[in-house]
Amino acid sequence: MDTLAFIEKTSRELQAQIGSKKALCGLSGGVDSSVAAALVHRAVPGCLTCVYVDTGLMRLNESREVEGLFGGKFGIPFVRADAEDYFLDKLTGVTEPERKRKIIGEAFVRVFEEGAKKLGKIECLVQGTILPDVEESAAATLVKSHHNVGGLPETMDFTELVEPLRTLCKDEVRAVGLALGMPEAMIYRQPFPGPGLAVRCLGEVTRERLDILRRADYIVTDTLADLGIWQYFAVLTGLRSVGVRDGKRMYGEVIAVRAVSSVDARTAEWFKVPHEVLVRLSKRLTEEVPEVCRVVYDITDKPCGTIEWE
Ligand code: XMP
């Protein structure tokens, strides 16, 4: 791909599509939505407001970090919507992965609509949808409904959906971000799915279960941070297993650790984490998260396993 030619062509298309209308961008803090926002801001200065939705499905300290990275920067107005109760209420009792994704996709749009009403008349919704999101959500080959494609509701207040990255893979999105002068800390954040920890919390998504997963995920992230891995995280499997702690029987949670190498997320290889690091990881997870009594490491490539477990 010729990155500079892509930027110029997309800018002209954005100017034609947005014109004098106002736009709202759901900014997750990930590279896709950040680059989409930067492209729109460059093409049509002054049209954009970014909304970060705290869904309650974020990683430990994530909302604070995203606000620190984006709030008051780049001359783009940034708003935070606290919607934890709204998302968790909608997810009560839901265990089926596709239903979770559809509920979350719709909940995002409803929160954006509320935000847009408060900000005045906003016709355009900007999303950081990329090619693998579209491919995996295609009805004929449905793998999973990415929250921003197959998870969108049938009706919305917005009249225009603006998706400037729809033809690009992740590596190309990163190249566009770098060419636009965005900081590397933003461009090389590891990918995080729009539905957040909900698709890593197998079974029902509750505050208590998210809390266990969040603490486990922090340890996985902290322990594997310096190995140059493309994506790595913890999964709360929903399995229970018998263990022993302090000489007493326990019946605890099973955490799976997923770490993969990839270039564009369409295929991925499980990462060969050195054994001594796995030893450290297992010790920390079982010692620092008292609810956990067993740790397993996922050795599945994509295909057949997708990167996320749901
Ligand atoms: P899968 O699990 O499909 O994931 O192999 C491929 C890449 O996409 C991320 N992912 C998502 N990103 N909305 C997103 O914005 C989603 O619904 C979604 N589902 C998965 C995943 O983390 C991986 O990097």
Side-chain angles (χ1 to χ4, degrees):
M1 184 189 69
D2 179 339
T3 306
L4 294 181
F6 171 85
I7 293 173
E8 290 315 319
K9 175 173 159 283
T10 306
S11 294
R12 286 193 298 276
E13 289 167 357
L14 288 169
Q15 284 155 3
Q17 186 182 10
I18 299 173
S20 59
K21 297 193 275 292
K22 294 277 174 211
L24 188 98
C25 179
L27 190 82
S28 66
V31 61
D32 305 340
S33 55
S34 313
V35 173
L39 270 173
V40 168
H41 179 63
R42 177 182 182 274
V44 190
C47 76
L48 188 66
T49 300
C50 286
V51 179
Y52 169 78
V53 183
D54 184 349
T55 57
L57 304 167
M58 312 308 283
R59 292 167 287 192
L60 202 67
N61 304 328
E62 182 147 34
S63 296
R64 221 178 37 225
E65 281 171 22
V66 174
E67 217 164 353
L69 265 178
F70 293 93
K73 310 260 169 70
F74 315 110
I76 310 177
F78 176 94
V79 182
R80 172 172 162 170
D82 289 311
E84 177 175 12
D85 291 345
Y86 181 70
F87 275 76
L88 295 189
D89 280 358
K90 296 263 173 216
L91 287 167
T92 303
V94 179
T95 57
E96 205 277 311
E98 274 298 291
R99 266 201 73 213
K100 279 187 193 171
R101 284 175 169 272
K102 295 235 153 95
I103 288 170
I104 292 169
E106 167 150 16
F108 267 113
V109 171
R110 300 303 168 224
V111 172
F112 294 150
E113 286 173 343
E114 275 306 301
K117 268 188 215 142
K118 282 188 202 140
L119 293 164
K121 191 162 179 262
I122 298 189
E123 293 106 320
C124 307
L125 179 64
V126 179
Q127 297 206 120
T129 310
I130 64 171
L131 188 58
D133 302 350
V134 180
E135 289 172 344
E136 294 194 351
S137 300
T141 55
L142 178 66
V143 178
K144 53 182 77 172
S145 300
H146 282 240
H147 75 292
N148 46 356
V149 189
L152 282 182
E154 281 174 16
T155 55
M156 301 196 270
D157 291 351
F158 297 99
T159 51
E160 296 277 343
L161 200 55
V162 179
E163 297 183 316
L165 306 174
R166 221 180 147 84
T167 57
L168 304 193
C169 286
K170 186 75 89 188
D171 49 328
E172 296 169 321
V173 174
R174 286 183 164 146
V176 170
L178 289 175
L180 290 173
M182 295 172 69
E184 294 204 351
M186 263 178 209
I187 299 301
Y188 291 109
R189 287 190 89 211
Q190 70 158 307
F192 186 62
L197 296 179
V199 293
R200 299 176 180 173
C201 184
L202 278 51
E204 193 180 359
V205 181
T206 62
R207 275 191 177 73
E208 295 69 32
R209 301 192 71 229
L210 285 168
D211 175 57
I212 299 170
L213 175 56
R214 216 170 260 130
R215 283 179 279 132
D217 188 66
Y218 175 79
I219 290 168
V220 172
T221 310
D222 189 45
T223 312
L224 301 184
D226 298 328
L227 299 179
I229 309 174
W230 201 75
Q231 197 169 1
Y232 46 101
F233 52 87
V235 176
L236 186 67
T237 64
L239 289 169
R240 287 302 205 68
S241 169
V242 174
V244 189
R245 193 189 298 282
D246 303 328
K248 284 199 205 105
R249 178 189 198 274
M250 75 178 283
Y251 189 47
E253 303 284 352
V254 179
I255 286 287
V257 178
R258 179 80 163 139
V260 295
S261 318
S262 181
V263 174
D264 57 14
R266 285 160 143 166
T267 60
E269 230 179 67
W270 65 277
F271 192 91
K272 290 22 169 219
V273 175
H275 283 185
E276 61 277 14
V277 180
L278 288 176
V279 169
R280 221 164 46 238
L281 193 52
S282 161
K283 271 205 165 53
R284 283 194 67 186
L285 282 165
T286 48
E287 284 170 9
E288 295 175 35
V289 189
E291 295 89 341
V292 171
C293 77
R294 198 172 293 263
V295 178
V296 296
Y297 188 65
D298 183 348
I299 54 166
T300 323
D301 289 343
K302 174 184 179 177
C304 168
T306 54
I307 294 176
E308 303 294 340
W309 272 41
E310 285 191 340

